[in-house]
Amino acid sequence: MKFYISTSGIKRVTISSSAAGKEFPATATAPATRRISSRTFLPVVLVLGILLPFLFVRIAFLVLESAANCSSTLDCIGWGLLGGSDSSLKLRDELTRALLEAKEGNVYNEEGIESFDELVREMTSKRQDIKTFAFKTKAMLSRMERKVQTARQRESIYWHLASHGVPKSLHCLCLKLAEEYAVNAMARSRLPAPEYVSRLSDPSFHHLVLLTDNVIAASVVVSSTVQNSANPEKLVFHIVTDKKTYTPMHAWFATNPIKSAVVELKGLHHYDWPQEVNVRVKEMLEIHHLIWRHYYNNLKEEDFEEERQNKRYLEALSPSCLSLMNHLRIYIPELFPNLNKIVFLDDDVVVQQDISPLWELDLNGKVIGAVVDSQCGDHDCCRERKYKDYLNFSNPIISSNFDADLCVWLYGMNVFDLEAWRRSNITATYHQWLKVSLENGLALWYPGVFPPALIAFEGHVHSLDPSFHVDGLGYRTPEVSEELLEAAAVVHFSGPAKPWLEIGFPEVRGLWNKHVNATNKFVRKCGVMG
C-alpha cells in the first residue's frame, strides 16, 4: 500500500497493492485532522483567565441576590448574565443600606460566629437575605475589633506591671553588697574620706543631689557625670537613701571609689529633724496615699478604653507615686541646710555632656531652673504634656487658678537656688494644696509627685535651654530624634521602661549600659547586664 501526498495538500490518496490498485478521493475515505496551533491556544487561555474571575464574582452576587428576589437561582443567574445591570446596582445599594443600618448590640450579635468561613456556611445553608448578611458581618467584625482592643489594653497593663517589680538581678546585687558591708572593713570605710569633709558645704564646689534607693542607678548617674565633666575634681555628690538600702549603697561607693570626685552618703535614719518636720512629712505621705487609694478604688474598666487614658492611669497608680524618696524632693532645703545652690538629678538619668555651666547660671531670682516641655522654647507650643494632663480642670478650684494649656516643665534634672527657696513659701504652699485636695474629695490632680509640684513652683520656674534635658526614653515610642538625643546634656529614662528592666528598649539602653561597672564581681555574678 502506498500513499501519494501532493505539495499543495492531501487531495487524493492512491492505494496500491499486489492484487489491485484503486484510487479514492481523500474526502471520502480519510477525513483530515485539524490541529489547534499555539498561536490560537495562548490568546484563548489569556482571555479565559481575565473573564473567569469576573464571571465568578458576578455569579456569587447573583446567588446572594437570588435568595431574596428570585424563586429560582438558575433563572436569576441567567437573567443577570444576559442583562442584569439594574439588578447589580440594586444589590449594591441594598448591601450599602444594610451595612449602614447595622448596629452593634443587634439581635444578631451572638457569640456563635467567629470566622468569615463560618458566616458564609451559615448564610448559604439558611438562604438568608442580604440584610441579615450585613448585620451578622458587622457584628462579627465588631467582636473582633473589641477582642483586639482588649488584647492591646491587657498587653499595656502587663507591660506597666512589669515595670513595678524589682528585678532579681538588682535584688541579688543589694544582698551581695550588704554581705560585703558586714564582712569587709573597706566596705564600711567613711564616706567621704576625712580630708574631703570640708568640701561638703563649700559653695565653690559643684554640688549634686540624688534621692534614691537604687544602687546601680545611682552608680550610673555618678560615673556618667564624672566621665563627662570638664572639672570632675569640683564635683560633690550628696546621695540620700532609705535605711534598708544604706548598707549596700555604702558598700558600693566605698569599694568602687570615684577618684576625682567626692561622694557623701546619708540614710534617712541619720537625720534628726524637729518634731514639726516629722509631722509634716508623715501628713504629706498620708495624703498622697489617700489620693492614690481614691483613684485606685474608683478605677473602672472604661478608664482603659483609650490608650492615652490607659497610660495616664497606669502611671498614676504605679508604686513610685508612694515612694518616700520621691516625695522628699519638696524638703531638699531641710535635707541640705548648708548648701545654697545644687543640681538635682533623678536616678534614671544619664549625663552625656559637661553640666558645669548650670552652677554659673543666673536664675533671675527664680527658685528652680527647668527645661519647659516645648518645641519652640516658650509656653505656646508644647510637645504633648500640658497642665491639663496632670491637674483636674473639671474642678473649679483648679480651673480658676491655672491655665490648662500651659506647658509643663521637666522634673528630673533641675537647678535649685536653695537660698531663694528658703525665702519663698513653696514648701508651705505644697502642704496647703495637699490639704485643699483632702477637703475637696482628693480629686484635684492625679496621683504622683509632679502634679502638686507644678502648683507649688508656679511662678518660680526659670526656663533652661532644651538641650540640657531630654526625657521620655522610658516610653514605648520616644519621640526624640537622634540628633537631639546625641546633643542632650542629660537624657532621662522617664516612663515605665527603665534601662535596668527587661522591658527597657534596646535602642536607648546602650546609653545607660556603657556606664555600668561591668568589671565589678557582684554585677557579673548577679547578671545586672543581662
Side-chain angles (χ1 to χ4, degrees):
M1 182 176 65
K2 297 180 180 180
F3 293 90
Y4 295 93
I5 303 175
S6 67
T7 58
S8 60
I10 301 176
K11 294 182 180 179
R12 185 184 66 212
V13 178
T14 301
I15 302 175
S16 61
S17 64
S18 57
K22 293 187 180 180
E23 192 175 281
F24 302 94
T27 56
T29 58
T33 302
R34 296 182 178 270
R35 296 183 180 181
I36 301 176
S37 67
S38 61
R39 294 182 179 180
T40 306
F41 179 75
L42 184 58
V44 172
V45 172
L46 290 176
V47 171
L48 290 176
I50 296 173
L51 293 179
L52 284 178
F54 288 100
L55 184 62
F56 174 78
V57 173
R58 177 64 176 161
I59 292 174
F61 270 97
L62 291 174
V63 168
L64 288 173
E65 186 182 29
S66 67
N69 299 327
C70 302
S71 58
S72 170
T73 302
L74 292 176
D75 292 342
C76 201
I77 292 176
W79 177 81
L81 289 173
L82 294 175
S85 58
D86 292 339
S87 177
S88 178
L89 293 175
K90 180 181 178 182
L91 176 63
R92 184 192 64 188
D93 295 339
E94 184 179 352
L95 180 60
T96 302
R97 184 168 55 253
L99 289 173
L100 292 175
E101 292 176 358
K103 302 291 184 181
E104 290 189 44
N106 189 271
V107 67
Y108 297 115
N109 192 17
E110 70 272 3
E111 294 293 334
I113 301 175
E114 297 292 341
S115 67
F116 186 76
D117 290 340
E118 186 178 349
L119 175 65
V120 171
R121 285 195 300 270
E122 180 173 337
M123 296 302 301
T124 54
S125 62
K126 295 182 179 180
R127 298 179 62 83
Q128 294 173 332
D129 58 22
I130 193 67
K131 186 174 182 179
T132 304
F133 174 78
F135 271 66
K136 290 199 171 187
T137 302
K138 180 68 177 292
M140 182 186 68
L141 293 177
S142 296
R143 282 197 305 275
M144 291 181 177
E145 184 178 358
R146 286 195 299 271
K147 286 182 179 180
V148 171
Q149 185 178 10
T150 301
R152 291 183 61 185
Q153 292 170 0
R154 289 178 179 176
E155 189 267 345
S156 181
I157 292 172
Y158 296 153
W159 187 71
H160 275 266
L161 288 176
S163 70
H164 296 169
V166 177
K168 180 180 178 181
S169 58
L170 298 192
H171 183 63
C172 168
L173 180 64
C174 282
L175 291 178
K176 295 291 185 182
L177 289 170
E179 182 182 4
E180 188 73 5
Y181 183 88
V183 300
N184 187 349
M186 182 180 296
R188 299 189 300 272
S189 59
R190 185 175 176 180
L191 288 178
E195 60 267 26
Y196 299 122
V197 172
S198 61
R199 297 186 185 183
L200 298 182
S201 57
D202 190 336
S204 65
F205 286 86
H206 296 164
H207 298 272
L208 300 99
V209 169
L210 284 83
L211 308 178
T212 179
D213 58 358
N214 189 320
V215 176
I216 198 68
S219 72
V220 168
V221 174
V222 172
S223 62
S224 64
T225 305
V226 171
Q227 181 177 336
N228 292 286
S229 176
N231 299 293
E233 66 280 356
K234 296 194 68 174
L235 297 177
V236 179
F237 293 90
H238 304 268
I239 302 176
V240 179
T241 189
D242 57 17
K243 188 174 182 179
K244 68 178 178 61
T245 314
Y246 175 77
T247 54
M249 188 84 75
H250 192 286
W252 175 271
F253 285 104
T255 56
N256 297 276
I258 307 297
K259 295 181 180 179
S260 53
V262 173
V263 175
E264 178 197 28
L265 178 64
K266 296 186 73 174
L268 291 177
H269 55 290
H270 293 149
Y271 286 92
D272 186 18
W273 284 346
Q275 182 64 23
E276 179 186 355
V277 176
N278 288 330
V279 170
R280 282 189 294 160
V281 170
K282 183 179 179 180
E283 182 183 65
M284 173 186 67
L285 294 175
E286 288 177 350
I287 295 177
H288 277 294
H289 184 79
L290 289 174
I291 294 173
W292 187 92
R293 179 61 61 182
H294 168 79
Y295 277 89
Y296 182 83
N297 291 338
N298 289 278
L299 193 63
K300 299 181 180 62
E301 187 175 351
E302 54 265 25
D303 292 332
F304 296 97
E305 290 181 357
E306 295 183 9
E307 185 174 356
R308 184 181 180 87
Q309 188 81 344
N310 183 358
K311 183 176 71 173
R312 177 190 298 171
Y313 273 93
L314 289 171
E315 289 181 358
L317 297 177
S318 67
S320 63
C321 293
L322 304 177
S323 170
L324 173 61
M325 303 310 301
N326 282 335
H327 290 297
L328 282 178
R329 300 180 190 195
I330 200 66
Y331 281 97
I332 286 179
E334 284 79 9
L335 289 170
F336 304 100
N338 298 322
L339 298 181
N340 297 326
K341 192 172 189 179
I342 64 147
V343 170
F344 171 79
L345 295 176
D346 254 339
D347 62 3
D348 56 351
V349 306
V350 173
V351 178
Q352 299 188 132
Q353 309 289 343
D354 178 33
I355 58 174
S356 57
L358 291 174
W359 284 272
E360 309 301 328
L361 188 66
D362 184 4
L363 297 182
N364 297 316
K366 304 294 185 180
V367 173
I368 179 175
V371 171
V372 177
D373 189 25
S374 173
Q375 292 177 323
C376 57
D378 56 34
H379 289 230
D380 297 324
C381 53
C382 308
R383 287 192 299 173
E384 66 171 310
R385 286 166 293 185
K386 303 180 180 181
Y387 270 51
K388 64 183 178 183
D389 294 316
Y390 296 91
L391 307 180
N392 181 15
F393 279 86
S394 64
N395 190 297
I397 297 178
I398 295 296
S399 59
S400 61
N401 285 280
F402 305 100
D403 182 1
D405 293 321
L406 198 64
C407 299
V408 303
W409 44 271
L410 303 184
Y411 222 172
M413 194 291 297
N414 306 105
V415 184
F416 286 111
D417 185 340
L418 299 186
E419 288 186 319
W421 190 336
R422 296 183 185 103
R423 293 193 300 267
S424 71
N425 60 346
I426 289 176
T427 304
T429 301
Y430 186 94
H431 277 275
Q432 180 182 353
W433 274 96
L434 286 178
K435 293 180 180 179
V436 171
S437 176
L438 182 62
E439 295 168 357
N440 288 271
L442 303 166
L444 297 187
W445 57 75
Y446 297 105
V449 176
F450 191 45
L454 276 177
I455 296 175
F457 285 100
E458 176 73 10
H460 297 280
V461 180
H462 175 79
S463 181
L464 301 181
D465 189 286
S467 64
F468 273 115
H469 185 189
V470 171
D471 75 333
L473 273 66
Y475 291 104
R476 288 179 178 272
T477 53
E479 299 178 358
V480 181
S481 65
E482 290 188 10
E483 295 79 9
L484 184 59
L485 201 61
E486 292 177 359
V490 175
V491 292
H492 191 180
F493 288 84
S494 58
K498 303 302 183 186
W500 54 83
L501 299 175
E502 291 185 4
I503 62 173
F505 303 112
E507 298 85 355
V508 292
R509 183 186 285 163
L511 299 175
W512 186 83
N513 281 346
K514 65 183 180 181
H515 295 289
V516 176
N517 185 358
T519 62
N520 182 272
K521 61 180 180 179
F522 299 133
V523 169
R524 294 198 310 270
K525 287 181 179 179
C526 294
V528 173
M529 299 289 290

